[in-house]
Amino acid sequence: MTKLIGTMPDVAVDAPADGPVIAHPKPLLRRVYLKTFGCQMNVYDSERMSEMLSAEGYANTADPADADLVILNTCHIREKAVEKVYSDLGRLRDLKIERQAQGRETIIAVAGCVAQAEGAEIARRAPAVDVVIGPQSYHRLPELADKARQQGRAQIETSFPEDEKFNQLPVRTLGPASDGQAARRPASAFLTVQEGCDKFCTFCVVPYTRGAEYSRPVEKLVDEAHRLVDEGVREITLLGQNVNAYHGEGPDGSHWTLARLMHALADIPALERLRYMTSHPRDIGDDLIAAHRDCSKLMPFLHLPFQAGSDRILAAMNRKHTARDYLALIERIRAVRPDLALSTDVIVGFPGETEAEFDATLAVIRQIGFAQAYSFKYSPRPGTPAATIGEQIPDVVKTERLARLQALLDEQQTAFNAASIGQTIPVLFERIGRGDGQLVGRTPHLQLVHAEATPLLLGRIISVEIRGSGQTSLRGVIKAA
Ligand code: 5AD
Ligand code: SF4
């Protein structure tokens, strides 16, 4: 499963401030604008695309009007995410025409899950699009952009090549810090360890857009983690649609579990924090539970979607677990890690959901108490089994249920944050805040913390006394640097 975090900021290549900084081995001939929608997997893919394009001589721009190549890295998980892409494409078409009038060419590429799911249909609906490229083929982007330029017609690449993309992309490098300030390097990075999903929840497009489960080999991941840490990263979040199904090949030829991979990564001395997302309750093994006790670098935070509280709905979703299974699992993990903070994904208005079944969802939330959560109205997705179930729930009902659900989740999040007041908590400072002289960091429980501090503390874990809290963030003062 994927974790949605809304439209992400544009990924920078010639990064100012705290973005990645990339050296350009070839002369800077062209400019690329890259916009990322959807989950962290897309954020990771965008970073890798940026690095690859930089090596091809593209410089980054934050202004699409200035770009020779525009890439939308898209999300297909709900209809709303797809609509956003088409409305962006409308604006980009006008821009392309304006630039054409000035004798400047613009190549528009649609990457990501909408590209994979809709393929040539995109070029039909949005004829200004030049390249449609699925998530498994990013390494072919420069070549396809050139082809589109030469041939003047759309290039479509949505196959699932045998030779997986990670082997084709250049090795990771965040590049040298431009101003010599190590403190400006990103403190926290994503590392995709697994892609695809074989679970086939009946509401979800991921098994179709990202394909079958694939785990990257251990050595490649350890190597990539070393590079990130050498460049100043202190926290790595291991990513996968179903990350705890990880079963990559180890150096000994056997298949390693996520827990075993995590222990190997924890051996990197300068790496201080590990996280992972997103998990499926069915694939949480005993060794992963034990890792929450034994691996001190693994943060006490778990994002574990439960989707719905009614067993009838869970069965119709093909989740392969009951509400009781979920509660029992949480109990087992809390038994080894009592300070574990929980996050989840919930869907309201799945076809046929009655008022009593929706109440069962609220009951699970009350019983567990979440530190944060993502909640969605069910959105019928073409090609998924649930979309053809007869009893679709009217939108007004979904809206009303979502509001009630979110009120409860907001209340829990606010209470969870308020409980931090007065505590002194280690915070990893990640970026400069909007307020004067403020830095923004994260607690082990993934809460955002704002504190007045010198930028020299970026990339470091510092004790902060929490003085204030809101629904989505904390405020504190530096105790010890
Ligand atoms: N409608 C609404 N929410 C969905 N999700 C996935 N597919 C759909 C859909 N069709 C949610 C699930 C998943 C998260 C990433 O998005 O809760 O865990
Ligand atoms: Fe997650 Fe289920 Fe979708 Fe797989 S099919 S990505 S487990 S929601």
Side-chain angles (χ1 to χ4, degrees), residues 4-65:
L4 289 219
I5 49 178
T7 303
M8 296 301 299
D10 309 326
V11 173
V13 175
D14 268 329
D18 49 357
V21 182
I22 306 284
H24 299 284
K26 293 185 186 170
L28 295 180
L29 299 172
R30 303 169 187 162
R31 296 202 158 258
V32 57
Y33 169 85
L34 206 165
K35 180 169 176 179
T36 308
F37 300 82
C39 68
Q40 282 92 338
M41 308 274 293
N42 268 8
V43 175
Y44 176 86
D45 283 345
S46 288
E47 283 169 9
R48 297 297 301 264
M49 271 193 271
S50 272
E51 290 161 10
M52 172 188 69
L53 290 166
S54 171
E56 293 287 323
Y58 282 88
N60 197 62
T61 173
D63 179 5

Short mmCIF file of all heavy atoms in Angstrom, two decimals, residues 4-65:
data_model
loop_
_atom_site.label_atom_id
_atom_site.label_comp_id
_atom_site.label_asym_id
_atom_site.label_seq_id
_atom_site.Cartn_x
_atom_site.Cartn_y
_atom_site.Cartn_z
N LEU A 4 -0.21 8.35 1.29
CA LEU A 4 -0.40 9.60 0.58
C LEU A 4 -0.07 10.78 1.47
O LEU A 4 -0.46 10.83 2.62
CB LEU A 4 -1.86 9.72 0.14
CG LEU A 4 -2.28 8.79 -0.97
CD1 LEU A 4 -3.20 9.54 -1.90
CD2 LEU A 4 -1.15 8.21 -1.74
N ILE A 5 0.66 11.70 0.90
CA ILE A 5 0.99 12.87 1.72
C ILE A 5 0.67 14.14 0.95
O ILE A 5 1.24 15.17 1.18
CB ILE A 5 2.48 12.84 2.13
CG1 ILE A 5 3.35 12.58 0.94
CG2 ILE A 5 2.72 11.84 3.20
CD1 ILE A 5 4.82 12.58 1.26
N GLY A 6 -0.26 14.04 0.03
CA GLY A 6 -0.68 15.23 -0.71
C GLY A 6 0.35 15.62 -1.74
O GLY A 6 1.37 14.95 -1.91
N THR A 7 0.07 16.68 -2.45
CA THR A 7 0.98 17.12 -3.49
C THR A 7 2.28 17.58 -2.87
O THR A 7 2.30 18.37 -1.95
CB THR A 7 0.34 18.29 -4.26
OG1 THR A 7 -0.90 17.81 -4.75
CG2 THR A 7 1.21 18.72 -5.41
N MET A 8 3.35 17.04 -3.35
CA MET A 8 4.65 17.36 -2.78
C MET A 8 5.22 18.60 -3.46
O MET A 8 4.88 18.90 -4.59
CB MET A 8 5.62 16.20 -3.02
CG MET A 8 5.20 14.95 -2.30
SD MET A 8 5.08 15.22 -0.54
CE MET A 8 6.77 15.68 -0.17
N PRO A 9 6.12 19.29 -2.78
CA PRO A 9 6.78 20.41 -3.44
C PRO A 9 7.64 19.91 -4.58
O PRO A 9 7.97 18.73 -4.65
CB PRO A 9 7.65 20.99 -2.34
CG PRO A 9 7.76 19.94 -1.32
CD PRO A 9 6.59 19.04 -1.44
N ASP A 10 7.96 20.80 -5.48
CA ASP A 10 8.79 20.41 -6.61
C ASP A 10 10.14 19.96 -6.11
O ASP A 10 10.70 20.52 -5.20
CB ASP A 10 8.96 21.59 -7.54
CG ASP A 10 7.63 22.20 -7.86
OD1 ASP A 10 6.65 21.45 -7.96
OD2 ASP A 10 7.56 23.42 -7.97
N VAL A 11 10.65 18.92 -6.73
CA VAL A 11 11.95 18.41 -6.32
C VAL A 11 13.03 19.23 -7.03
O VAL A 11 12.97 19.44 -8.23
CB VAL A 11 12.07 16.92 -6.71
CG1 VAL A 11 13.48 16.43 -6.46
CG2 VAL A 11 11.07 16.11 -5.92
N ALA A 12 13.97 19.70 -6.27
CA ALA A 12 14.98 20.57 -6.84
C ALA A 12 16.24 19.80 -7.22
O ALA A 12 16.63 18.87 -6.53
CB ALA A 12 15.35 21.64 -5.82
N VAL A 13 16.85 20.17 -8.29
CA VAL A 13 18.12 19.57 -8.64
C VAL A 13 19.24 20.54 -8.32
O VAL A 13 20.15 20.26 -7.56
CB VAL A 13 18.16 19.18 -10.13
CG1 VAL A 13 19.54 18.66 -10.49
CG2 VAL A 13 17.13 18.10 -10.40
N ASP A 14 19.14 21.76 -8.86
CA ASP A 14 20.13 22.80 -8.53
C ASP A 14 19.76 23.40 -7.19
O ASP A 14 19.49 24.57 -7.07
CB ASP A 14 20.02 23.93 -9.55
CG ASP A 14 20.94 23.70 -10.69
OD1 ASP A 14 22.00 23.10 -10.52
OD2 ASP A 14 20.57 24.16 -11.77
N ALA A 15 19.73 22.55 -6.19
CA ALA A 15 18.94 22.93 -5.03
C ALA A 15 19.46 24.13 -4.27
O ALA A 15 20.63 24.19 -3.92
CB ALA A 15 18.90 21.77 -4.09
N PRO A 16 18.58 25.06 -3.99
CA PRO A 16 18.92 26.10 -3.04
C PRO A 16 18.75 25.54 -1.63
O PRO A 16 18.27 24.42 -1.46
CB PRO A 16 17.84 27.16 -3.32
CG PRO A 16 16.67 26.38 -3.83
CD PRO A 16 17.22 25.14 -4.47
N ALA A 17 19.08 26.31 -0.62
CA ALA A 17 18.87 25.98 0.79
C ALA A 17 19.13 24.51 1.09
O ALA A 17 20.21 24.01 0.88
CB ALA A 17 17.48 26.39 1.22
N ASP A 18 18.07 23.80 1.54
CA ASP A 18 18.33 22.47 2.06
C ASP A 18 17.99 21.35 1.08
O ASP A 18 17.88 20.21 1.45
CB ASP A 18 17.56 22.29 3.37
CG ASP A 18 16.11 22.70 3.24
OD1 ASP A 18 15.74 23.17 2.16
OD2 ASP A 18 15.36 22.54 4.21
N GLY A 19 17.75 21.64 -0.19
CA GLY A 19 17.45 20.59 -1.16
C GLY A 19 18.71 19.86 -1.57
O GLY A 19 19.81 20.22 -1.20
N PRO A 20 18.54 18.74 -2.35
CA PRO A 20 19.72 18.02 -2.81
C PRO A 20 20.51 18.86 -3.81
O PRO A 20 19.95 19.66 -4.55
CB PRO A 20 19.13 16.79 -3.49
CG PRO A 20 17.72 17.14 -3.82
CD PRO A 20 17.29 18.18 -2.83
N VAL A 21 21.81 18.72 -3.78
CA VAL A 21 22.65 19.51 -4.66
C VAL A 21 23.39 18.55 -5.57
O VAL A 21 24.01 17.60 -5.12
CB VAL A 21 23.67 20.33 -3.86
CG1 VAL A 21 24.52 21.18 -4.79
CG2 VAL A 21 22.94 21.21 -2.87
N ILE A 22 23.29 18.76 -6.86
CA ILE A 22 23.83 17.81 -7.81
C ILE A 22 24.87 18.50 -8.69
O ILE A 22 24.65 19.60 -9.16
CB ILE A 22 22.69 17.29 -8.73
CG1 ILE A 22 21.53 16.73 -7.92
CG2 ILE A 22 23.21 16.27 -9.71
CD1 ILE A 22 21.75 15.40 -7.30
N ALA A 23 25.99 17.84 -8.89
CA ALA A 23 26.99 18.38 -9.81
C ALA A 23 26.56 18.08 -11.24
O ALA A 23 25.88 17.09 -11.49
CB ALA A 23 28.33 17.71 -9.53
N HIS A 24 26.90 18.91 -12.18
CA HIS A 24 26.51 18.69 -13.57
C HIS A 24 27.73 18.36 -14.41
O HIS A 24 28.49 19.23 -14.79
CB HIS A 24 25.84 19.94 -14.14
CG HIS A 24 24.60 20.30 -13.41
ND1 HIS A 24 23.42 19.62 -13.57
CD2 HIS A 24 24.37 21.25 -12.48
CE1 HIS A 24 22.51 20.14 -12.77
NE2 HIS A 24 23.05 21.11 -12.11
N PRO A 25 27.93 17.08 -14.72
CA PRO A 25 29.10 16.70 -15.48
C PRO A 25 29.04 17.15 -16.94
O PRO A 25 30.06 17.33 -17.58
CB PRO A 25 29.09 15.17 -15.40
CG PRO A 25 27.71 14.79 -15.00
CD PRO A 25 27.09 15.95 -14.32
N LYS A 26 27.81 17.34 -17.48
CA LYS A 26 27.69 17.79 -18.87
C LYS A 26 27.26 19.26 -18.87
O LYS A 26 26.70 19.73 -17.90
CB LYS A 26 26.64 16.95 -19.60
CG LYS A 26 27.06 15.51 -19.78
CD LYS A 26 26.04 14.77 -20.61
CE LYS A 26 26.38 13.30 -20.65
NZ LYS A 26 25.30 12.50 -21.25
N PRO A 27 27.49 19.98 -19.99
CA PRO A 27 27.08 21.38 -20.00
C PRO A 27 25.57 21.52 -19.80
O PRO A 27 24.81 20.67 -20.23
CB PRO A 27 27.49 21.85 -21.41
CG PRO A 27 27.86 20.63 -22.16
CD PRO A 27 28.13 19.55 -21.20
N LEU A 28 25.15 22.59 -19.13
CA LEU A 28 23.74 22.77 -18.84
C LEU A 28 23.01 23.31 -20.05
O LEU A 28 23.07 24.50 -20.34
CB LEU A 28 23.57 23.74 -17.67
CG LEU A 28 24.13 23.26 -16.34
CD1 LEU A 28 23.92 24.31 -15.28
CD2 LEU A 28 23.47 21.96 -15.95
N LEU A 29 22.35 22.41 -20.76
CA LEU A 29 21.68 22.83 -21.98
C LEU A 29 20.19 23.00 -21.76
O LEU A 29 19.57 23.86 -22.34
CB LEU A 29 21.91 21.78 -23.07
CG LEU A 29 23.37 21.57 -23.46
CD1 LEU A 29 23.49 20.39 -24.40
CD2 LEU A 29 23.92 22.83 -24.10
N ARG A 30 19.62 22.17 -20.90
CA ARG A 30 18.17 22.13 -20.80
C ARG A 30 17.74 22.23 -19.35
O ARG A 30 18.48 21.94 -18.45
CB ARG A 30 17.66 20.80 -21.35
CG ARG A 30 18.09 20.54 -22.76
CD ARG A 30 17.77 19.11 -23.08
NE ARG A 30 18.31 18.73 -24.36
CZ ARG A 30 18.48 17.48 -24.73
NH1 ARG A 30 18.15 16.51 -23.93
NH2 ARG A 30 18.97 17.21 -25.90
N ARG A 31 16.49 22.63 -19.21
CA ARG A 31 15.95 22.77 -17.86
C ARG A 31 14.76 21.84 -17.68
O ARG A 31 13.97 21.65 -18.59
CB ARG A 31 15.52 24.21 -17.60
CG ARG A 31 16.68 25.16 -17.66
CD ARG A 31 16.44 26.45 -16.91
NE ARG A 31 17.73 27.03 -16.58
CZ ARG A 31 18.26 26.95 -15.37
NH1 ARG A 31 17.63 26.35 -14.38
NH2 ARG A 31 19.44 27.49 -15.14
N VAL A 32 14.66 21.27 -16.48
CA VAL A 32 13.55 20.35 -16.18
C VAL A 32 12.76 20.84 -14.97
O VAL A 32 13.34 21.32 -13.99
CB VAL A 32 14.07 18.90 -15.97
CG1 VAL A 32 15.11 18.82 -14.87
CG2 VAL A 32 12.91 17.95 -15.65
N TYR A 33 11.45 20.73 -15.09
CA TYR A 33 10.54 21.03 -13.98
C TYR A 33 9.86 19.71 -13.61
O TYR A 33 9.28 19.05 -14.48
CB TYR A 33 9.51 22.06 -14.43
CG TYR A 33 8.37 22.26 -13.46
CD1 TYR A 33 8.48 23.14 -12.39
CD2 TYR A 33 7.17 21.57 -13.62
CE1 TYR A 33 7.44 23.32 -11.50
CE2 TYR A 33 6.11 21.74 -12.74
CZ TYR A 33 6.26 22.62 -11.68
OH TYR A 33 5.22 22.79 -10.81
N LEU A 34 9.93 19.36 -12.34
CA LEU A 34 9.39 18.06 -11.92
C LEU A 34 8.40 18.27 -10.78
O LEU A 34 8.75 18.85 -9.75
CB LEU A 34 10.56 17.18 -11.47
CG LEU A 34 10.40 15.67 -11.56
CD1 LEU A 34 11.76 14.99 -11.43
CD2 LEU A 34 9.44 15.13 -10.54
N LYS A 35 7.18 17.79 -10.97
CA LYS A 35 6.18 17.93 -9.91
C LYS A 35 5.73 16.53 -9.47
O LYS A 35 5.41 15.70 -10.31
CB LYS A 35 4.99 18.73 -10.42
CG LYS A 35 3.90 18.93 -9.40
CD LYS A 35 2.89 19.94 -9.88
CE LYS A 35 1.74 20.06 -8.89
NZ LYS A 35 0.76 21.06 -9.33
N THR A 36 5.72 16.33 -8.16
CA THR A 36 5.42 15.00 -7.63
C THR A 36 4.07 14.99 -6.92
O THR A 36 3.81 15.83 -6.06
CB THR A 36 6.51 14.59 -6.62
OG1 THR A 36 7.77 14.75 -7.25
CG2 THR A 36 6.34 13.14 -6.19
N PHE A 37 3.23 14.03 -7.28
CA PHE A 37 1.96 13.81 -6.59
C PHE A 37 2.05 12.50 -5.80
O PHE A 37 2.80 11.62 -6.16
CB PHE A 37 0.83 13.65 -7.62
CG PHE A 37 0.62 14.82 -8.53
CD1 PHE A 37 1.42 14.99 -9.65
CD2 PHE A 37 -0.38 15.74 -8.28
CE1 PHE A 37 1.22 16.06 -10.51
CE2 PHE A 37 -0.59 16.81 -9.13
CZ PHE A 37 0.21 16.98 -10.25
N GLY A 38 1.21 12.40 -4.76
CA GLY A 38 1.02 11.09 -4.15
C GLY A 38 2.01 10.71 -3.08
O GLY A 38 2.40 11.54 -2.26
N CYS A 39 2.42 9.45 -3.12
CA CYS A 39 3.07 8.84 -1.96
C CYS A 39 4.58 9.05 -1.93
O CYS A 39 5.18 9.54 -2.87
CB CYS A 39 2.78 7.34 -1.94
SG CYS A 39 3.57 6.46 -3.29
N GLN A 40 5.18 8.60 -0.83
CA GLN A 40 6.64 8.73 -0.67
C GLN A 40 7.41 7.93 -1.70
O GLN A 40 8.54 8.25 -2.01
CB GLN A 40 7.05 8.26 0.74
CG GLN A 40 6.76 9.27 1.82
CD GLN A 40 5.40 9.05 2.45
OE1 GLN A 40 4.52 8.44 1.85
NE2 GLN A 40 5.21 9.56 3.64
N MET A 41 6.78 6.87 -2.22
CA MET A 41 7.47 6.09 -3.26
C MET A 41 7.70 6.99 -4.47
O MET A 41 8.72 6.90 -5.15
CB MET A 41 6.61 4.90 -3.72
CG MET A 41 6.12 4.02 -2.61
SD MET A 41 7.28 2.75 -2.15
CE MET A 41 7.29 1.74 -3.58
N ASN A 42 6.71 7.83 -4.76
CA ASN A 42 6.85 8.78 -5.87
C ASN A 42 7.91 9.83 -5.55
O ASN A 42 8.63 10.27 -6.44
CB ASN A 42 5.51 9.46 -6.17
CG ASN A 42 4.73 8.71 -7.25
OD1 ASN A 42 5.11 7.63 -7.66
ND2 ASN A 42 3.63 9.30 -7.69
N VAL A 43 7.99 10.25 -4.30
CA VAL A 43 9.00 11.23 -3.91
C VAL A 43 10.39 10.63 -4.15
O VAL A 43 11.28 11.26 -4.74
CB VAL A 43 8.85 11.63 -2.42
CG1 VAL A 43 9.98 12.56 -1.99
CG2 VAL A 43 7.51 12.30 -2.20
N TYR A 44 10.56 9.39 -3.74
CA TYR A 44 11.83 8.69 -3.95
C TYR A 44 12.12 8.58 -5.45
O TYR A 44 13.22 8.89 -5.91
CB TYR A 44 11.77 7.30 -3.31
CG TYR A 44 13.00 6.45 -3.57
CD1 TYR A 44 14.11 6.56 -2.74
CD2 TYR A 44 13.06 5.56 -4.64
CE1 TYR A 44 15.25 5.80 -2.97
CE2 TYR A 44 14.19 4.79 -4.87
CZ TYR A 44 15.28 4.92 -4.05
OH TYR A 44 16.41 4.17 -4.28
N ASP A 45 11.12 8.15 -6.22
CA ASP A 45 11.32 8.01 -7.68
C ASP A 45 11.70 9.36 -8.30
O ASP A 45 12.53 9.42 -9.20
CB ASP A 45 10.04 7.49 -8.35
CG ASP A 45 9.85 5.98 -8.15
OD1 ASP A 45 10.81 5.30 -7.75
OD2 ASP A 45 8.73 5.50 -8.39
N SER A 46 11.07 10.43 -7.83
CA SER A 46 11.37 11.75 -8.39
C SER A 46 12.81 12.14 -8.11
O SER A 46 13.50 12.71 -8.96
CB SER A 46 10.44 12.82 -7.81
OG SER A 46 9.15 12.65 -8.35
N GLU A 47 13.27 11.81 -6.88
CA GLU A 47 14.68 12.12 -6.56
C GLU A 47 15.60 11.36 -7.49
O GLU A 47 16.57 11.91 -8.01
CB GLU A 47 14.98 11.74 -5.10
CG GLU A 47 14.42 12.76 -4.13
CD GLU A 47 14.47 12.28 -2.68
OE1 GLU A 47 15.09 11.24 -2.42
OE2 GLU A 47 13.85 12.96 -1.85
N ARG A 48 15.29 10.09 -7.73
CA ARG A 48 16.14 9.29 -8.60
C ARG A 48 16.09 9.83 -10.04
O ARG A 48 17.11 9.87 -10.74
CB ARG A 48 15.72 7.81 -8.58
CG ARG A 48 15.86 7.14 -7.23
CD ARG A 48 17.29 7.07 -6.71
NE ARG A 48 18.21 6.36 -7.56
CZ ARG A 48 18.58 5.09 -7.45
NH1 ARG A 48 18.07 4.35 -6.49
NH2 ARG A 48 19.46 4.56 -8.25
N MET A 49 14.91 10.25 -10.49
CA MET A 49 14.79 10.82 -11.85
C MET A 49 15.61 12.11 -11.95
O MET A 49 16.29 12.35 -12.94
CB MET A 49 13.33 11.14 -12.18
CG MET A 49 12.60 9.98 -12.81
SD MET A 49 11.02 10.51 -13.50
CE MET A 49 9.94 10.31 -12.11
N SER A 50 15.52 12.93 -10.91
CA SER A 50 16.27 14.19 -10.88
C SER A 50 17.76 13.93 -11.01
O SER A 50 18.46 14.60 -11.76
CB SER A 50 16.05 14.92 -9.56
OG SER A 50 14.95 15.73 -9.66
N GLU A 51 18.23 12.94 -10.24
CA GLU A 51 19.67 12.62 -10.27
C GLU A 51 20.07 12.17 -11.67
O GLU A 51 21.09 12.57 -12.21
CB GLU A 51 19.98 11.50 -9.26
CG GLU A 51 19.85 11.97 -7.82
CD GLU A 51 19.69 10.81 -6.84
OE1 GLU A 51 19.87 9.64 -7.23
OE2 GLU A 51 19.38 11.09 -5.66
N MET A 52 19.23 11.32 -12.27
CA MET A 52 19.54 10.79 -13.60
C MET A 52 19.55 11.93 -14.63
O MET A 52 20.47 12.04 -15.45
CB MET A 52 18.49 9.75 -13.98
CG MET A 52 18.58 9.27 -15.41
SD MET A 52 17.17 8.26 -15.81
CE MET A 52 15.85 9.46 -15.80
N LEU A 53 18.55 12.81 -14.57
CA LEU A 53 18.47 13.89 -15.55
C LEU A 53 19.61 14.89 -15.36
O LEU A 53 20.11 15.47 -16.32
CB LEU A 53 17.11 14.59 -15.45
CG LEU A 53 15.96 13.71 -15.95
CD1 LEU A 53 14.63 14.28 -15.53
CD2 LEU A 53 16.02 13.56 -17.47
N SER A 54 20.01 15.06 -14.11
CA SER A 54 21.14 15.94 -13.84
C SER A 54 22.39 15.39 -14.53
O SER A 54 23.15 16.14 -15.17
CB SER A 54 21.34 16.03 -12.34
OG SER A 54 22.53 16.69 -12.07
N ALA A 55 22.59 14.08 -14.44
CA ALA A 55 23.75 13.46 -15.09
C ALA A 55 23.65 13.58 -16.61
O ALA A 55 24.66 13.54 -17.32
CB ALA A 55 23.85 12.00 -14.68
N GLU A 56 22.41 13.75 -17.11
CA GLU A 56 22.21 13.93 -18.56
C GLU A 56 22.33 15.38 -18.97
O GLU A 56 22.08 15.73 -20.12
CB GLU A 56 20.82 13.42 -18.95
CG GLU A 56 20.64 11.92 -18.81
CD GLU A 56 21.38 11.14 -19.88
OE1 GLU A 56 21.42 11.61 -21.03
OE2 GLU A 56 21.93 10.07 -19.56
N GLY A 57 22.65 16.25 -18.04
CA GLY A 57 22.87 17.65 -18.36
C GLY A 57 21.66 18.55 -18.18
O GLY A 57 21.67 19.70 -18.61
N TYR A 58 20.62 18.04 -17.53
CA TYR A 58 19.45 18.90 -17.26
C TYR A 58 19.66 19.65 -15.95
O TYR A 58 20.08 19.05 -14.95
CB TYR A 58 18.19 18.05 -17.11
CG TYR A 58 17.58 17.57 -18.40
CD1 TYR A 58 18.00 16.37 -18.98
CD2 TYR A 58 16.58 18.29 -19.04
CE1 TYR A 58 17.43 15.90 -20.15
CE2 TYR A 58 16.00 17.83 -20.22
CZ TYR A 58 16.43 16.63 -20.76
OH TYR A 58 15.86 16.18 -21.92
N ALA A 59 19.32 20.92 -15.94
CA ALA A 59 19.33 21.68 -14.70
C ALA A 59 17.89 21.82 -14.24
O ALA A 59 16.96 21.82 -15.05
CB ALA A 59 19.91 23.06 -14.94
N ASN A 60 17.69 21.93 -12.94
CA ASN A 60 16.33 22.01 -12.42
C ASN A 60 15.80 23.43 -12.45
O ASN A 60 16.55 24.39 -12.34
CB ASN A 60 16.31 21.51 -10.99
CG ASN A 60 14.92 21.17 -10.55
OD1 ASN A 60 14.30 20.31 -11.13
ND2 ASN A 60 14.45 21.87 -9.56
N THR A 61 14.50 23.55 -12.63
CA THR A 61 13.87 24.87 -12.47
C THR A 61 12.58 24.69 -11.69
O THR A 61 11.90 23.67 -11.81
CB THR A 61 13.58 25.54 -13.83
OG1 THR A 61 12.83 26.72 -13.59
CG2 THR A 61 12.82 24.63 -14.78
N ALA A 62 12.26 25.71 -10.89
CA ALA A 62 11.02 25.66 -10.12
C ALA A 62 9.88 26.30 -10.90
O ALA A 62 8.75 26.36 -10.43
CB ALA A 62 11.22 26.38 -8.79
N ASP A 63 10.17 26.77 -12.12
CA ASP A 63 9.17 27.49 -12.91
C ASP A 63 8.90 26.74 -14.21
O ASP A 63 9.77 26.67 -15.08
CB ASP A 63 9.71 28.90 -13.22
CG ASP A 63 8.72 29.69 -14.05
OD1 ASP A 63 7.60 29.19 -14.30
OD2 ASP A 63 9.08 30.81 -14.46
N PRO A 64 7.70 26.16 -14.35
CA PRO A 64 7.44 25.37 -15.56
C PRO A 64 7.59 26.19 -16.85
O PRO A 64 7.91 25.64 -17.90
CB PRO A 64 6.00 24.88 -15.37
CG PRO A 64 5.43 25.64 -14.23
CD PRO A 64 6.58 26.16 -13.42
N ALA A 65 7.37 27.53 -16.75
CA ALA A 65 7.48 28.37 -17.95
C ALA A 65 8.92 28.41 -18.47
O ALA A 65 9.17 28.79 -19.61
CB ALA A 65 6.99 29.78 -17.63
#
